[in-house]
């Protein structure tokens, strides 16, 4: 008998963003996701608070936690480059929370303070990794974390494993910045997961939907909640627009995994938030030249 799991995948909530009302954007996508049936777990793949604050983390935990409490399902978080490990730990603990808010994660031990953890949802193992490099936009997984990951994956889970981290190990080749701001040691992650029961790798960071493979394992990048990057701009420009998004991930069955995107019904969707020169990183006033 095939076991099915459904994940609601959010990312880049950026609470306390100075550019948009991030709390309203999160509320909008959660409201529009209210009729998605049979969700087993909600995953938030990093950049929880734009300012890295405990207050921002608490705001996201409150909104997502309320959504999950109403459904009796757990919610899982990982760090992003905007987050701080101290605020994350103080507010979210391991990042693996039951429907009632109880911490259910087993955290990687060590002196680094990295927030890698694991929990199980009806036989599905969910592992969160900490790709945060303080003060940097790009991501990296150190040897200790990769060794811990190998140890966890050494024994298969009943319904397989989903891996969650902020920085994608894939990039759009025509982008002048994606490769440099993504996961810097994707090859080492690939070595750690190859031949294991990892069924999908869920990421955020890029604020757009993107799929690819890492040694044959499906990688999914979910669109951002706070803004969406508009790739219809020329490759020189990074254009962010309004329009919260999320992904429904279906596991189980002959075509698993399946990913489909939800877009919040925002009357201002597509409205430009900022336009940045992708090379100089200088913001441009107005529309694309």
């Amino acid at each position: 008998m095939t076991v099915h799991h459904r994940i609601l995948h959010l990312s880049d909530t950026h609470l306390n963003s100075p550019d948009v009302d991030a709390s309203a954007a999160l509320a909008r996508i959660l409201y529009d996701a209210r009729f998605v049936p049979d969700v087993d777990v909600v995953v938030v793949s990093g950049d929880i608070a734009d300012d890295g604050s405990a207050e921002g983390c608490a705001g996201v935990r409150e909104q997502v936690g309320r959504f999950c409490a109403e459904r009796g399902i757990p919610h899982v978080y990982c760090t992003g480059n905007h987050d701080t490990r101290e605020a994350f730990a103080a507010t979210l603990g391991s990042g693996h929370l039951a429907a009632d808010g109880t911490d259910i994660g087993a955290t990687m031990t060590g002196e680094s303070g990295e927030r890698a953890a694991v929990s199980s949802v009806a036989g599905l193992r969910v592992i969160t990794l900490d790709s945060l490099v303080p003060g940097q936009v790009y991501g990296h997984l150190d040897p200790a974390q990769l060794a811990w990951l190998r140890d966890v994956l050494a024994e298969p889970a009943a319904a397989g494993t989903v891996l969650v981290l902020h920085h994608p190990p894939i990039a759009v080749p025509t982008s002048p910045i994606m490769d440099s701001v993504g996961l810097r040691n994707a090859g080492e992650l690939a070595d750690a997961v190859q031949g294991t029961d990892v069924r999908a790798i869920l990421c955020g960071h890029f604020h757009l939907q993107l799929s690819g493979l890492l040694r044959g394992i499906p990688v999914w990048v979910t669109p951002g909640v706070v803004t969406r990057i508009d790739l219809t701009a020329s490759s020189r420009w990074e254009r962010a627009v309004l329009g919260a998004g999320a992904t429904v991930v279906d596991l189980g069955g002959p075509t698993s995994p399946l990913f489909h995107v939800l877009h919040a019904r925002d009357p201002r969707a597509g409205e430009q938030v900022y336009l940045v020169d992708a090379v100089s990183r200088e913001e441009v006033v107005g529309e694309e030249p």
Side-chain angles (χ1 to χ4, degrees):
M1 177 178 165
T2 302
V3 178
H4 295 268
H5 291 86
R6 173 167 285 177
I7 301 168
L8 178 63
H9 179 198
L10 309 173
S11 195
D12 298 272
T13 48
H14 284 270
L15 226 68
N16 297 334
S17 167
D19 299 316
V20 302
D21 188 342
S23 181
L26 177 57
R28 187 172 291 115
I29 191 64
L30 289 174
Y31 179 80
D32 280 353
R34 70 194 185 281
F35 292 130
V36 176
D38 304 323
V39 175
D40 296 294
V41 58
V42 175
V43 164
V44 184
S45 56
D47 276 3
I48 297 161
D50 191 79
D51 57 0
S53 67
E55 176 194 15
C57 289
V60 174
R61 174 177 173 158
E62 179 182 356
Q63 288 197 53
V64 175
R66 185 166 56 247
F67 180 94
C68 291
E70 291 170 354
R71 290 155 182 80
I73 60 174
H75 37 126
V76 173
Y77 307 80
C78 76
T79 56
N81 54 287
H82 275 261
D83 298 309
T84 62
R85 292 184 177 119
E86 295 77 14
F88 184 98
T91 313
L92 298 165
S94 71
H96 295 239
L97 305 178
D100 64 359
T102 303
D103 195 320
I104 56 173
T107 307
M108 181 185 81
T109 58
E111 299 180 359
S112 66
E114 291 173 339
R115 308 311 297 171
V118 59
S119 64
S120 182
V121 181
L124 176 68
R125 181 165 55 196
V126 181
I127 299 175
T128 50
L129 297 179
D130 182 352
S131 56
L132 165 63
V133 180
Q136 302 296 332
V137 179
Y138 66 82
H140 184 270
L141 299 170
D142 72 8
Q145 195 170 168
L146 290 168
W148 173 83
L149 175 63
R150 288 190 182 93
D151 287 344
V152 174
L153 293 175
E155 183 177 342
T161 298
V162 168
L163 198 60
V164 182
L165 72 158
H166 185 63
H167 294 86
I170 59 174
V172 174
T174 54
S175 168
I177 63 165
M178 271 193 202
D179 191 53
S180 63
V181 302
L183 186 69
R184 288 284 179 91
N185 58 333
E188 293 178 43
L189 175 61
D191 290 341
V193 300
Q194 186 174 15
T196 68
D197 70 347
V198 174
R199 301 170 65 185
I201 301 172
L202 306 182
C203 306
H205 190 48
F206 288 160
H207 290 232
L208 52 82
Q209 62 196 64
L210 179 66
S211 66
L213 297 174
L214 186 70
R215 302 274 175 86
I217 298 173
V219 177
W220 177 258
V221 183
T222 194
V225 169
V226 68
T227 55
R228 175 177 60 82
I229 296 300
D230 179 8
L231 288 186
T232 64
S234 71
S235 59
R236 176 181 172 182
W237 305 104
E238 178 184 303
R239 179 165 60 214
V241 300
L242 295 176
T247 302
V248 175
V249 182
D250 283 313
L251 300 169
T255 59
S256 172
L258 291 173
F259 308 95
H260 72 267
V261 173
L262 308 177
H263 291 293
R265 294 173 295 165
D266 184 350
R268 296 176 62 195
E271 182 179 310
Q272 182 173 295
V273 176
Y274 64 79
L275 183 68
V276 173
D277 187 310
V279 178
S280 70
R281 306 307 296 162
E282 293 181 358
E283 189 164 350
V284 177
V285 177
E287 293 297 320
E288 182 180 346

